[in-house]
Amino acid sequence: MQTAVQTNPTTNTDTFPIKGTDYIEFYVGNAKQAAIYYQATFGFQWTAYRGPETGHKETVSYVLEQGKVRFVLTSALHPEHEVARHVAEHGDGVRVLALWVDDVSHSFSSAVDRGAKAALEPHILSDRDGEVKMAAIHTYGETIHMLVERKAYQGVFLPGYEARKNDFPIKPVGLKYVDHCVGNVELGDMNRWVKFYQDVLGFKLLITFDDKDIATEYTALMSKVVSNGNGYIKFPINEPAKGLKKSQIEEYLDFYRGAGVQHIALATDDILFTVDTLRNHGVDFLYVPDNYYEDVLDRVGKIDEHIDDLKRLNILVDRDEDGYLLQIFTKPVQDRPTVFYEIIQRKGAKSFGKGNFKALFEAIEREQEVRGTL
Ligand code: FE2
């Protein structure tokens, strides 16, 4: 079976209501420097901080925001700390995909009743700005979903954090919200995790891509996209498929030492401006050859943007029955070839750029070849 698109999820049977992505937390080796990277290149505002100066002795965390995107960068201050162990194992990577919910206790107990593994029991954090209720469940690899209820909180982020501002001028690049977060899992595990999201969190299967959809001459992968009741949260899950050479998913799993978040897609409503600015700030993108642009308009039809701008900035375009989308992928943002970003602008399209898979995976293979890991 090739690509199958399911009907849109309905909201009237939502067994696990989620209001949106609350934050994404990365465990990193040097949060201070990582925070500067996200400010100087991706144009994030520094909004909050927790560390020894605020009475927290074990870890430091920098909170960065742009539009509705909120990242937390956390490092350990001692080698014995869990964060240090996580970084030693995985390199810099995503530990927490936090979901904003109305009722943490109910969400947590219903998830655990339906088979979720508890990571953190429901508890209340409070300070002079009010209280936040949190709990967490495990998902693939060492990744967790923190559930966050913040009805009674007026503070800048979470209790214990203090407000901060950038130390230097920031140029926002127009990022609006998290469009989707993709996980890579081990061979044979994709369906297990799709079932987890369906059974435990009430997600619906949105799209299936098999290895005929996503294959080059050398490598292949399979992917299924699940989406929550209101459609705000989309989690594609990839697993490697058999190919002649080592797939990008296997390379990720080798370097991340297991399953984890592969890429985060950030939405913009002006991708030409966003990518132009990111390039000027030094962000490295995957290279797509000029010949991609020779026949792309035959494939996607009329678009608002000028093809020369797309070619100059190396932006990809694809169309589905609802409209079209523009997208581009960064190279990995840490030394291990693991986490990277997608910048996406949707002009009606609800899909994920299937028409670009081949060009994209060939671009990744060129990078793998240079790394000697193909
Ligand atoms: Fe994506």
Side-chain angles (χ1 to χ4, degrees):
M1 184 184 70
Q2 291 206 19
T3 310
V5 179
Q6 260 67 23
T7 50
N8 283 338
T10 51
T11 49
N12 56 3
T13 54
D14 197 349
T15 57
F16 196 92
I18 301 170
K19 296 159 81 89
T21 305
D22 195 281
Y23 65 90
I24 296 173
E25 182 169 10
F26 301 75
Y27 283 178
V28 299
N30 188 337
K32 186 173 197 162
Q33 289 189 6
I36 300 289
Y37 172 80
Y38 281 103
Q39 291 171 72
T41 61
F42 281 79
F44 278 81
Q45 302 286 339
W46 183 24
T47 56
Y49 172 79
R50 185 181 74 176
E53 300 86 346
T54 70
H56 192 81
K57 306 291 185 197
E58 302 297 313
T59 57
V60 290
S61 293
Y62 294 73
V63 181
L64 303 165
E65 296 183 54
Q66 186 171 176
K68 290 181 181 168
V69 186
R70 179 157 56 196
F71 287 169
V72 182
L73 304 168
T74 296
S75 283
L77 290 169
H78 312 289
E80 301 79 15
H81 197 277
E82 160 59 21
V83 172
R85 185 208 56 79
H86 193 281
V87 171
E89 177 81 5
H90 303 292
D92 290 4
V94 174
R95 163 66 171 169
V96 182
L97 293 170
L99 305 173
W100 180 28
V101 299
D102 258 337
D103 183 341
V104 156
S105 297
H106 179 260
S107 296
F108 177 81
S109 59
S110 61
V112 170
D113 287 348
R114 293 192 290 245
K117 194 173 146 207
L120 202 58
E121 294 290 323
H123 62 287
I124 290 171
L125 299 176
S126 61
D127 65 9
R128 62 181 184 280
D129 293 315
E131 59 181 51
V132 176
K133 201 166 193 181
M134 300 173 84
I137 56 171
H138 288 278
T139 177
Y140 47 76
E142 287 207 82
T143 317
I144 60 171
H145 288 308
M146 190 71 75
L147 309 172
V148 186
E149 173 187 329
R150 43 174 74 256
K151 285 196 285 275
Y153 196 63
Q154 307 295 324
V156 63
F157 175 51
L158 291 174
Y161 283 79
E162 290 182 1
R164 288 288 191 278
K165 280 201 168 67
N166 306 89
D167 295 328
F168 57 94
I170 299 301
K171 186 172 184 197
V173 305
L175 300 175
K176 302 288 185 193
Y177 58 89
V178 175
D179 187 273
H180 58 272
C181 287
V182 183
N184 283 341
V185 301
E186 312 271 3
L187 181 62
D189 279 353
M190 177 180 69
N191 286 328
R192 180 162 71 88
W193 287 109
V194 166
K195 195 167 164 19
F196 164 83
Y197 281 106
Q198 289 175 310
D199 293 352
V200 175
L201 298 188
F203 282 46
K204 303 280 189 289
L205 178 63
L206 205 60
I207 310 176
T208 299
F209 302 106
D210 71 10
D211 50 356
K212 289 176 201 64
D213 293 316
I214 317 181
T216 66
E217 197 181 339
Y218 298 121
T219 71
L221 67 91
M222 292 186 288
S223 187
K224 287 186 176 178
V225 184
V226 291
S227 171
N228 78 315
N230 62 16
Y232 290 175
I233 311 285
K234 293 190 255 329
F235 291 147
I237 298 174
N238 299 329
E239 74 172 24
K242 277 213 169 359
L244 290 175
K245 295 191 179 183
K246 182 189 275 194
S247 79
Q248 49 157 318
I249 310 302
E250 288 169 278
E251 185 196 38
Y252 174 101
L253 294 169
D254 284 353
F255 280 89
Y256 199 73
R257 298 289 176 99
V261 171
Q262 178 211 37
H263 77 266
I264 299 165
L266 302 172
T268 171
D269 52 22
D270 185 355
I271 199 166
L272 298 179
F273 167 77
T274 298
V275 173
D276 204 14
T277 312
L278 288 170
R279 285 191 180 280
N280 286 333
H281 289 174
V283 173
D284 253 349
F285 290 96
L286 285 178
Y287 172 71
V288 175
D290 285 354
N291 64 14
Y292 170 87
Y293 296 92
E294 282 165 15
D295 58 357
V296 70
L297 292 182
D298 300 337
R299 181 163 62 79
V300 301
K302 189 175 160 16
I303 56 171
D304 301 334
E305 295 72 19
H306 201 288
I307 192 74
D308 290 345
D309 288 329
L310 300 185
K311 187 172 171 180
R312 174 174 58 85
L313 294 167
N314 231 216
I315 292 167
L316 307 171
V317 55
D318 195 30
R319 185 178 287 278
D320 63 22
E321 56 279 12
D322 297 304
Y324 71 98
L325 63 80
L326 302 148
Q327 63 185 167
I328 189 168
F329 297 84
T330 72
K331 291 183 183 178
V333 293
Q334 58 292 304
D335 293 308
R336 295 194 202 186
T338 55
V339 183
F340 60 88
Y341 289 94
E342 172 181 353
I343 308 297
I344 183 166
Q345 181 176 6
R346 293 186 181 278
K347 298 191 124 179
K350 297 193 177 81
S351 54
F352 295 85
K354 180 187 164 194
N356 292 323
F357 287 168
K358 193 164 192 297
L360 174 64
F361 296 127
E362 284 170 355
I364 293 175
E365 284 170 12
R366 282 192 289 277
E367 300 290 320
Q368 281 183 264
E369 200 157 22
V370 173
R371 287 193 284 268
T373 57
L374 185 61

